[in-house]
Amino acid sequence: MPIDPAANAPLLAAAMRSLSPHAPLLSELGALFEGAGHQLYLVGGSVRDAVLERPVTDLDFTTDARPDAIKRIVSGWADGLWETGIEFGTIGLTKRKLRLEITTFRADSYDQVSRNPTVEFGDRLEDDLVRRDFKVNAMAVGITGDGIGEFFDPQDGLADATAGVLDTPSAPEVSFGDDPLRMLRAARFVSQLGFTVAPRVHEAMQRMAGELGRITAERVAAELDKLLSGKDPVAGVDLMVQTGLGEIVLPEIGQMQMAIDEHHQHKDVYQHSLTVLRQAVDLEDSRESPDLVLRWAALMHDIGKPATRRHESDGGVSFHHHEVVGAKMTRKRMRALKYSKQMVDDVSQLVYLHLRFHGYADGTGTGKWTDSAVRRYVTDAGPLLPQLHKLVRADCTTRNKRRAARLQANYDDLEQRIAELAAKEDLARVRPDLDGNEIMSILGIQGGPVVGQAWNHLKELRMERGPLEHDEAVAELLKWWNARG
């Protein structure tokens, strides 16, 4: 059913503005399908984002044409074409560096056990739209040779878009039973779109959270990344925790609600971690893509606190070595979610290092690190140093303005010292002043474990004293060698 243009003029005008850059491409593709006697509609997130005046990058379409017919229609026009999703009725293609997906109308049924549907192709747009996850994703725009045509909104998604609400076309119990991943997708859209969930959706998520156990780790991780990449990941994470989804996919986060942060007990560790995540996002360069490594580290940096919580005799609370425990927990959780080795290593290393700075100076500003300690800080962080800078600064959530100012000033001082040392020596690659070949030549030995031991000894000297002259490095090597007998 087409919608009333007069009643929705502002939203439709916004959609037209968002889609106008793609008008030539839409007209070409519409003409191809029209000429072949088929209907074509822009649908789903593409229409939703257009209505919300968000950037429309990937274009998703639905059609009454069957997959083989879609291939025939776009072959020769598309710059590239793939059939990865053809069993589900989807043909993917690229055109002018844009990614497009065209899917045959679907009228699937689900077995309520797996998230894999029994694929049934449909003949009506309305049947295709009612099976979608949320009403705001169940809008469509007709595409013809003339370009953008009528808007269709049988589920009243425009009203939800206006209200900023996520609701399901069918009863949420049915929708989430068909595909439990939709519950996690709701949290992702809360983060990305700034929406809230309808009360009935929230209640269904609480009742059905356990159904997420049917979803593969890879799909869960993909949704978590999209959630954390949103403009308000804190809102998405909090919805996930409050509905019980977090207990299934990321239980360590909700468990932090049971611990109290040691900084004047002004926040529990869970709320502190959400604040750190929010502040880490604020420290990112808005011109660049969201930094998932930083955001994951900010969220996970204190997950070791519940396991290390101790009540001290003076009435205080301590969390000794929570960074060590937290790094191990982070590594275990991210491996379970099937993240890449590099991602696991990077996030867990940031968690491990996030507390290191607090030994830089005491409350009076004295006792600052030696140059050796600064070199070790930089070396241990490696290429993660820029993210470590942001994480440490974001981890300052105290309400004591004087203390917050002192912490930031101390970190300013540390960054200045790093810059000064970097101007004198290559801190990015702190290596011994003699390489393995030189060590073997000077000592007159063949390769073996002792070469590595000598190399490590010289690296420790490099850390402690900075760059050595060649003769001085040779003398230190011989001194070490003679001491071994």
Side-chain angles (χ1 to χ4, degrees):
M1 69 182 71
I3 65 173
D4 180 2
N8 297 279
L11 287 176
L12 297 184
M16 292 297 287
R17 286 194 297 271
S18 297
L19 293 174
S20 60
H22 305 301
L25 182 148
L26 295 174
S27 296
E28 292 176 24
L29 189 58
L32 290 174
F33 276 80
E34 201 171 40
H38 289 289
Q39 306 164 39
L40 182 68
Y41 301 92
L42 191 65
V43 72
S46 303
V47 179
R48 178 203 69 220
D49 288 344
V51 166
L52 297 174
E53 291 194 270
R54 289 165 51 86
V56 180
T57 51
D58 297 336
L59 300 173
D60 297 323
F61 301 86
T62 189
T63 177
D64 61 337
R66 294 318 193 237
D68 288 341
I70 298 173
K71 283 176 57 181
R72 289 195 300 271
I73 293 169
V74 300
S75 292
W77 177 79
D79 297 331
L81 187 148
W82 62 92
E83 304 177 16
T84 307
I86 193 168
E87 63 180 303
F88 299 105
T90 300
I91 300 296
L93 58 107
T94 54
K95 183 69 175 181
R96 297 172 197 149
K97 299 183 180 180
L98 279 175
R99 180 186 176 99
L100 289 68
E101 285 192 350
I102 307 174
T103 303
T104 302
F105 290 159
R106 298 266 293 273
D108 302 337
S109 60
Y110 291 78
D111 59 13
Q112 299 282 314
V113 175
S114 69
R115 68 178 294 263
N116 297 321
T118 300
V119 178
E120 298 177 12
F121 297 138
D123 298 302
R124 299 190 331 134
L125 174 65
E126 292 81 358
D127 294 336
D128 181 271
L129 296 179
V130 75
R131 55 170 287 279
R132 293 180 178 267
D133 54 3
F134 299 103
K135 292 179 181 180
V136 293
N137 294 333
M139 298 180 285
V141 179
I143 303 297
T144 68
D146 295 326
I148 301 169
E150 292 183 306
F151 277 70
F152 295 82
D153 185 22
Q155 301 300 323
D156 209 13
L158 274 174
D160 281 5
T162 302
V165 172
L166 288 172
D167 200 358
T168 51
S170 55
E173 293 79 7
V174 174
S175 181
F176 298 155
D178 286 346
D179 185 359
L181 191 65
R182 289 172 173 172
M183 293 185 285
L184 201 53
R185 201 173 291 145
R188 184 241 292 188
F189 288 137
V190 164
S191 170
Q192 290 180 329
L193 305 176
F195 281 24
T196 58
V197 296
R200 69 172 190 160
V201 170
H202 194 282
E203 293 168 4
M205 291 168 70
Q206 289 178 300
R207 290 196 304 272
M208 302 180 67
E211 295 295 312
L212 268 179
R214 293 159 43 189
I215 308 302
T216 65
E218 292 86 351
R219 292 296 297 123
V220 167
E223 286 299 324
L224 289 174
D225 280 352
K226 291 175 184 177
L227 185 160
L228 285 176
S229 296
K231 65 178 182 180
D232 189 4
V234 168
V237 169
D238 198 41
L239 175 64
M240 190 173 65
V241 170
Q242 301 310 325
T243 55
L245 300 181
E247 187 60 31
I248 307 302
V249 300
L250 209 56
E252 297 83 358
I253 304 305
Q255 289 167 4
M256 289 191 290
Q257 293 178 108
M258 302 302 295
I260 302 300
D261 187 56
E262 76 271 29
H263 301 301
H264 307 288
Q265 290 90 39
H266 70 279
K267 288 188 181 81
D268 67 23
V269 177
Y270 171 69
Q271 290 297 332
H272 163 77
S273 296
L274 294 187
T275 301
V276 173
L277 173 57
R278 184 181 293 111
Q279 293 182 168
V281 171
D282 291 341
L283 289 171
E284 290 179 356
D285 188 335
S286 60
R287 297 166 297 180
E288 298 179 358
S289 300
D291 189 337
L292 267 176
V293 170
L294 174 63
R295 294 186 183 201
W296 266 109
L299 181 63
M300 305 287 275
H301 78 285
D302 273 349
I303 61 171
K305 280 188 172 179
T308 58
R309 182 185 184 186
R310 297 291 182 270
H311 294 282
E312 303 295 346
S313 58
D314 62 359
V317 179
S318 67
F319 304 94
H320 295 307
H321 305 301
H322 74 268
E323 74 282 9
V324 178
V325 174
K328 291 179 180 177
M329 293 171 65
T330 298
R331 186 174 293 277
K332 181 177 179 180
R333 175 54 54 194
M334 297 194 78
R335 281 175 174 169
L337 289 169
K338 305 295 181 66
Y339 277 96
S340 69
K341 182 180 183 301
Q342 188 66 58
M343 185 72 167
V344 173
D345 289 346
D346 288 351
V347 176
S348 58
Q349 180 70 351
L350 284 174
V351 172
Y352 176 71
L353 292 174
H354 85 272
L355 208 60
R356 177 84 61 89
F357 160 72
H358 292 282
Y360 180 66
D362 62 24
T364 63
T366 60
K368 292 179 181 177
W369 288 348
T370 62
D371 286 351
S372 171
V374 174
R375 289 189 192 99
R376 291 181 189 281
Y377 188 75
V378 174
T379 300
D380 288 349
L384 297 171
L385 184 63
Q387 288 144 310
L388 182 59
H389 287 334
K390 292 185 178 74
L391 177 60
V392 172
R393 290 187 182 278
D395 195 25
C396 177
T397 63
T398 177
R399 293 177 180 175
N400 184 316
K401 293 183 179 179
R402 290 181 63 185
R403 185 168 187 272
R406 186 170 64 246
L407 286 170
Q408 297 296 345
N410 280 340
Y411 207 82
D412 288 343
D413 185 75
L414 174 58
E415 286 201 68
Q416 178 62 32
R417 289 189 60 197
I418 291 173
E420 290 171 356
L421 280 176
K424 301 174 184 176
E425 54 189 277
D426 184 5
L427 289 180
R429 293 186 63 192
V430 177
R431 302 177 64 83
D433 299 282
L434 303 174
D435 63 24
N437 290 327
E438 290 175 300
I439 290 171
M440 288 187 288
S441 175
I442 292 167
L443 299 182
I445 60 174
Q446 299 297 313
V450 72
V451 177
Q453 293 167 13
W455 192 94
N456 287 331
H457 173 71
L458 291 175
K459 182 177 179 182
E460 285 298 312
L461 284 178
R462 173 72 172 76
M463 286 282 195
E464 292 292 335
R465 292 160 52 178
L468 303 178
E469 295 293 337
H470 184 269
D471 289 348
E472 187 179 7
V474 171
E476 290 292 346
L477 174 62
L478 293 173
K479 179 180 177 182
W480 172 83
W481 180 248
N482 293 329
R484 289 171 55 90

